[in-house]
Amino acid sequence: MGAALVEIRNVSKSFTLSRSIINRKPSVLQAVSDVSLDIMKGESLGLVGESGSGKSTLGHVVLNLLKPTAGEVYFDGQNITALRGRDLLPYRRRMQLIFQDPFSSLNPTQSVGAMLSEILFVHRICRTAAERKDKVRDILRQVGLSEAAARRYPHEFSGGQRQRLVIARALACDPEFIVADEPVSALDVSIQAQIVKLLEKLRQELGLTLLLVAHDLGLIQYMSDRVGVLYLGKLVELAPTRRLFAAPRHPYTEMLLSAAPSIEVDAQKKRIVPTGEIPSPLSPPSGCVFRTRCRYALPACATSKLTLTKVGDGHFKACIRNDILGGPNA
């Protein structure tokens, strides 16, 4: 891995909710709060957290599909936050998204060949119709589909095949960076392994940089070089994958890992059950946002500023306690 391809600097994203009969004042939902991290060229960075932690929102902000409320995103040294229209088009080609639900993200009225050809035409990748046809054939073969698939429509494919089509669409313009948003969660377990192996194969062969958004810790552990842990929009831990899974340093990460299922019969993993309910993102706790569910919480956690501090080589955590060293049997 070399220099950073994507730089996220103090990014926040909030949504203003409409007034209700009970509450006439608009509410503000803070989906992502002051997140900073780099994604290095050629690496796979995993983002984990419970539903509503802000993982997908952050991925969409990175791709400029959502404008951040505050902060900037740099791609290959260029601040893309304020770019629009034609200025953004070259970066659209270099950054792509793999959606969670393959069926709803495909146009049911368009054949596969027409869908891929349109991308090649818009980004001026192929000059002639014959070149586009050849390129479509090559893309389909790359994701394990036959040339005949170009004549068919999305509803004619199985769930796993549709996900291959979504991957083919993302690869059509030869991107450098891909955000994979829960790429296998909508698939049967038997198909998930095939898609995971395909993604890993493509990443290695094409030298792709990947932001993998998932709640499946097994997938994250298999495909990620580093892992970022989000809780209520806050980045609470960031570490190389092996280090994070072996010795988490934040109580929330420790809780997530303890809840992950294991197929090992003799596994002696202790389940950590958090206290309290998940706070509302409309009114997050002061200080450390995890303190209301944390078994290590101190009175000072209510007023402490949540900042990432270095605790090891490439390992950062946002917790005032330095005596927490989690692990499988902690």
Side-chain angles (χ1 to χ4, degrees):
M1 284 180 283
L5 180 63
V6 178
E7 301 168 71
I8 303 168
R9 295 288 175 264
N10 305 109
V11 163
S12 296
K13 178 60 182 178
S14 60
F15 298 93
T16 301
L17 306 184
S18 58
R19 299 178 178 88
S20 65
I21 298 175
I22 299 174
N23 185 7
R24 294 184 176 275
K25 184 179 179 181
S27 300
V28 176
L29 188 152
Q30 192 72 36
V32 177
S33 181
D34 197 24
V35 171
S36 294
L37 58 86
D38 292 341
I39 306 174
M40 314 307 288
K41 288 183 179 179
E43 90 162 323
S44 175
L45 176 70
L47 277 184
V48 297
E50 294 166 294
S51 297
S53 61
K55 306 184 300 295
S56 294
T57 300
L58 181 59
H60 290 181
V61 169
V62 169
L63 292 175
N64 215 334
L65 298 176
L66 291 173
K67 293 295 182 183
T69 307
E72 295 86 31
V73 175
Y74 293 82
F75 184 85
D76 203 13
Q78 169 67 47
N79 186 348
I80 63 171
T81 310
L83 297 182
R84 287 177 173 81
R86 291 187 176 182
D87 294 332
L88 188 57
L89 189 60
Y91 295 95
R92 290 280 186 233
R93 175 176 174 176
R94 301 173 67 186
M95 304 184 296
Q96 288 294 310
L97 173 65
I98 295 175
F99 290 90
Q100 177 178 355
D101 184 355
F103 191 70
S104 64
S105 64
L106 295 169
N107 186 344
T109 67
Q110 228 179 6
S111 70
V112 169
M115 172 187 71
L116 295 176
S117 295
E118 182 179 37
I119 296 170
L120 299 175
F121 177 79
V122 168
H123 290 285
R124 300 179 182 179
I125 295 172
C126 299
R127 294 183 178 181
T128 66
E131 289 179 352
R132 288 194 290 273
K133 184 177 180 180
D134 290 341
K135 179 72 171 177
V136 167
R137 181 192 63 227
D138 293 341
I139 295 169
L140 291 173
R141 287 177 177 173
Q142 200 171 32
V143 298
L145 294 173
S146 68
E147 182 180 359
R151 299 187 293 273
R152 296 161 62 188
Y153 289 80
H155 71 273
E156 299 179 76
F157 295 88
S158 67
Q161 289 174 325
R162 283 197 289 265
Q163 192 63 302
R164 290 177 187 269
L165 292 178
V166 172
I167 295 171
R169 183 177 58 186
L171 295 177
C173 49
D174 301 320
E176 302 166 47
F177 174 63
I178 288 180
V179 175
D181 188 2
E182 300 281 7
V184 298
S185 64
L187 305 176
D188 293 337
V189 175
S190 59
I191 305 300
Q192 289 181 6
Q194 298 175 21
I195 299 300
V196 168
K197 288 181 179 179
L198 173 63
L199 286 172
E200 186 61 17
K201 173 176 173 286
L202 293 171
R203 185 173 81 90
Q204 297 293 338
E205 290 179 351
L206 304 177
L208 296 171
T209 301
L210 184 68
L211 176 61
L212 177 62
V213 174
H215 64 268
D216 185 336
L217 291 172
L219 174 63
I220 290 290
Q221 187 174 20
Y222 177 74
M223 288 195 64
S224 302
D225 301 309
R226 289 190 299 148
V227 181
V229 183
L230 288 176
Y231 182 76
L232 281 184
K234 293 276 191 179
L235 186 64
V236 297
E237 190 161 7
L238 177 67
T241 304
R242 185 174 296 180
R243 183 185 294 269
L244 181 129
F245 276 80
R249 296 297 300 272
H250 193 280
Y252 178 59
T253 310
E254 183 185 41
M255 185 200 79
L256 284 181
L257 295 182
S258 79
S262 175
I263 62 173
E264 297 177 17
V265 177
D266 59 345
Q268 298 296 317
K269 185 166 58 177
K270 181 182 177 182
R271 175 70 186 270
I272 300 171
V273 180
T275 59
E277 298 292 331
I278 300 176
S280 169
L282 295 172
S283 182
S286 62
C288 174
V289 289
F290 186 60
R291 66 179 176 82
T292 57
R293 304 172 71 200
C294 180
R295 61 176 178 159
Y296 304 106
L298 301 171
C301 296
T303 56
S304 63
K305 187 178 180 181
L306 199 67
T307 56
L308 287 174
T309 57
K310 190 172 183 178
V311 293
D313 186 17
H315 197 158
F316 301 84
K317 55 97 176 177
C319 180
I320 63 172
R321 296 194 60 156
N322 294 316
D323 56 342
I324 300 171
L325 184 62
N329 303 312

